[in-house]
């Protein structure tokens, strides 16, 4: 399983900035269209790191809509706190 994850992470890191931006925008669009997102009062979201999708536009929009936005703090390899 770890080899598969490593392979996926390598592929993601090889995306061009333009492709990463396009995929990030598509992900944000799909999140905004979700019924659960529209009705949510609280949003738990990650801060993009390295080649991860940039979902910060969703966080900003959620704040403008009056939603509460929470980002996790990574404590170690298996633990996060909000």
């Amino acid at each position: 399983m770890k080899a598969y994850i490593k392979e996926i992470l390598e592929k993601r890191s090889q995306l061009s900035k333009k492709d990463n931006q396009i995929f990030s925008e598509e992900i944000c669009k799909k999140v905004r269209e979700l019924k659960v997102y529209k009705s949510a009062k609280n949003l738990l979201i990650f801060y993009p790191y390295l080649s991860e999708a940039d979902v910060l536009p969703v966080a900003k929009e959620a704040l403008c809509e009056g939603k509460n936005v929470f980002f996790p703090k990574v404590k170690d390899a298996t633990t996060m706190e909000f």
Side-chain angles (χ1 to χ4, degrees):
M1 183 71 159
K2 288 184 180 184
Y4 178 73
I5 293 171
K6 184 177 180 182
E7 179 183 339
I8 297 236
L9 292 174
E10 285 177 16
K11 285 182 179 183
R12 186 181 72 192
S13 69
Q14 292 173 0
L15 287 173
S16 69
K17 286 186 178 186
K18 181 66 176 170
D19 283 343
N20 186 285
Q21 179 184 1
I22 290 168
F23 291 134
S24 294
E25 289 171 2
E26 186 64 25
I27 290 167
C28 289
K29 178 183 173 199
K30 289 181 182 280
V31 169
R32 288 184 192 106
E33 292 171 352
L34 292 171
K35 186 177 181 180
V36 69
Y37 170 80
K38 292 177 182 178
S39 65
K41 294 181 182 177
N42 298 307
L43 179 68
L44 296 108
I45 196 164
F46 66 90
Y47 193 91
Y49 179 71
L50 299 176
S51 61
E52 292 177 335
D54 182 2
V55 292
L56 292 179
V58 173
K60 291 175 186 175
E61 184 176 310
L63 287 170
C64 289
E65 293 174 357
K67 298 179 188 290
N68 299 306
V69 178
F70 302 93
F71 292 89
K73 178 180 180 183
V74 177
K75 297 203 51 127
D76 57 47
T78 61
T79 308
M80 287 188 217
E81 289 182 349
F82 286 89

